[in-house]
Amino acid sequence: MRRRVGPVAALWTAIFVVAYGTNVPTPLLLVYRDSLGLTPDQLTGAFGVYAAGLVPALLLAGPASDRFGRRPVVVPFVLLAAATSLLFLGAGSATWLLFVCRFLQGAVSGVVFSVGTAWLGELIGEPGRSARLTTAALGGGWAIGPLVSGLLGQWAPAPTALPYLLHVALMVVGLALLPGVPETLGPHERRRGALIALGVPTGAGRAFVLVVLPIALGVFTFPSTAVTVLPLLLTPTLPELAVAITGLVAGVTLLTGVFAQPIGRRLGAVRSGPAGLLVGAVGIALSLLGAGHEAWPLLVPVALLLGVAYGLCLAAGLVMVAQLASPTARGALTGTFYACAYLGFGVPLVLSVLGGTARRGVEGFATPLAWLAGVVAVVALALALPAARRLVTPREVTPVERPPG
């Protein structure tokens, strides 16, 4: 098998199957809600705690891989991704175990996503193509995982077991392919220094904070809102299909992000980031209209809009990071970007707390969602201004750091 699968395809597959597993629990949270009696705050918290494990892992894994190499960091955590899915088999009987599993899943995924992205980019060598393939691997896995688990959770036996066992079987394939992927960071190219580093080159700080950071925050704000808040808002009229609908929303949102790549390529990274934020604001506003009229069919167009927004922001951010990063700190800067992006997973919990949904019910989401749509639209318009665009044009922002020698 290893002889027939090239290193790029092999690593792409490993990243895909890890991404697949991260969203397997998403539609099943409604099953856990019923079996464990979760409140809306607990439900969004179980989704958001994933980011609590993921963000520190992202910040640590990138610099560690810059120092020790990509393979020694990625391979053990791909194995741990399979082990985490096995641990989920007991989560249906204990709330604390569900939260622990989600936290571990975030930590494991953070390592694979940040370092795997840098590794894949070095294998490919061209930032635009690397961003497209990475988005396809991550977005495809993130989309197909909840879509399949939503269908299994709705109609298959053992809804909190079978989806995870299927993921473990896929992980076996990914692990079998990894030995054929060569190390891309030689000993003379490895960075010596602290294991905690942001990787932002000298002179690129303003560009990262003012442009890349807002786009990164938008990446997962849109899909996390789609797969947690929208089902709570719009599926009360079809409670018997809630799990399948949640899986469908997650799948449509995240898969749309993959198919949005030609749009991003046509616009270019500088324009596609603000465009993604603006489309996301429109999607959130439309979700409010649907909730107010109990128009559950609006789930699909809303999911499409939020998917386009997520895809444009992710691809734009990855291209900008590839252009800004110095060769000796690519893993660190990639990890920093993903750490910022995954803060968006905490947005549903913030919306839930601000809206007081534990006391007022799901209608408490309306006002926070309206504010979110407005803020995102303002940021999008600000990033579309020429001054912001000039900060991240390749001719204006060039890495100061150079590889040794």
Side-chain angles (χ1 to χ4, degrees), residues 257-349:
V258 177
F259 293 121
Q261 297 312 296
I263 302 174
R265 188 162 60 250
R266 192 172 298 114
L267 291 174
V270 174
R271 292 182 178 85
S272 60
L277 292 174
L278 189 59
V279 171
V282 173
I284 294 171
L286 184 61
S287 73
L288 287 169
L289 178 64
H293 296 82
E294 295 186 352
W296 65 265
L298 283 176
L299 271 172
V300 173
V302 168
L304 290 171
L305 288 171
L306 295 182
V308 170
Y310 138 78
L312 292 179
C313 288
L314 179 59
L318 288 174
V319 171
M320 290 177 186
V321 164
Q323 292 171 344
L324 290 173
S326 67
T328 57
R330 184 172 288 110
L333 188 58
T334 302
T336 300
F337 170 76
Y338 276 121
C340 296
Y342 272 102
L343 292 175
F345 270 74
V347 169
L349 179 58

Side-chain angles (χ1 to χ4, degrees), residues 184-219:
T184 54
L185 201 64
H188 64 286
E189 298 172 314
R190 295 178 186 177
R191 183 186 182 93
R192 305 300 178 195
L195 285 180
I196 300 180
L198 299 181
V200 180
T202 304
R206 287 185 66 222
F208 188 87
V209 171
L210 297 179
V211 181
V212 180
L213 176 59
I215 292 171
L217 291 173
V219 170

Side-chain angles (χ1 to χ4, degrees), residues 41-178:
D41 285 355
Q42 288 176 316
L43 190 69
T44 53
F47 188 82
V49 75
Y50 171 85
L54 187 143
V55 171
L58 288 168
L59 295 175
L60 290 169
S65 74
D66 289 334
R67 184 172 183 179
F68 301 115
R70 311 306 187 203
R71 173 182 293 280
V73 177
V74 170
V75 174
F77 281 88
V78 173
L79 181 61
L80 285 174
T84 302
S85 277
L86 290 174
L87 189 61
F88 262 105
L89 296 178
S93 59
T95 301
W96 68 268
L97 184 57
L98 173 62
F99 275 75
V100 168
C101 288
R102 283 294 285 168
F103 180 87
L104 291 176
Q105 193 175 51
V108 169
S109 302
V111 174
V112 176
F113 294 161
S114 61
V115 182
T117 296
W119 196 4
L120 189 63
E122 289 162 352
L123 285 172
I124 295 171
E126 196 274 305
R129 180 169 176 256
S130 172
R132 291 191 294 274
L133 285 178
T134 299
T135 302
L138 295 175
W142 289 330
I144 297 173
L147 183 59
V148 173
S149 69
L151 296 175
L152 294 177
Q154 186 72 65
W155 289 294
T160 58
L162 187 58
Y164 298 109
L165 293 175
L166 176 59
H167 177 242
V168 172
L170 294 174
M171 289 301 307
V172 172
V173 177
L175 284 165
L177 295 174
L178 274 180

Side-chain angles (χ1 to χ4, degrees), residues 335-366:
T336 300
F337 170 76
Y338 276 121
C340 296
Y342 272 102
L343 292 175
F345 270 74
V347 169
L349 179 58
V350 173
L351 296 175
S352 178
V353 172
L354 291 177
T357 54
R359 300 180 302 277
R360 298 171 51 200
V362 295
E363 65 273 9
F365 279 115

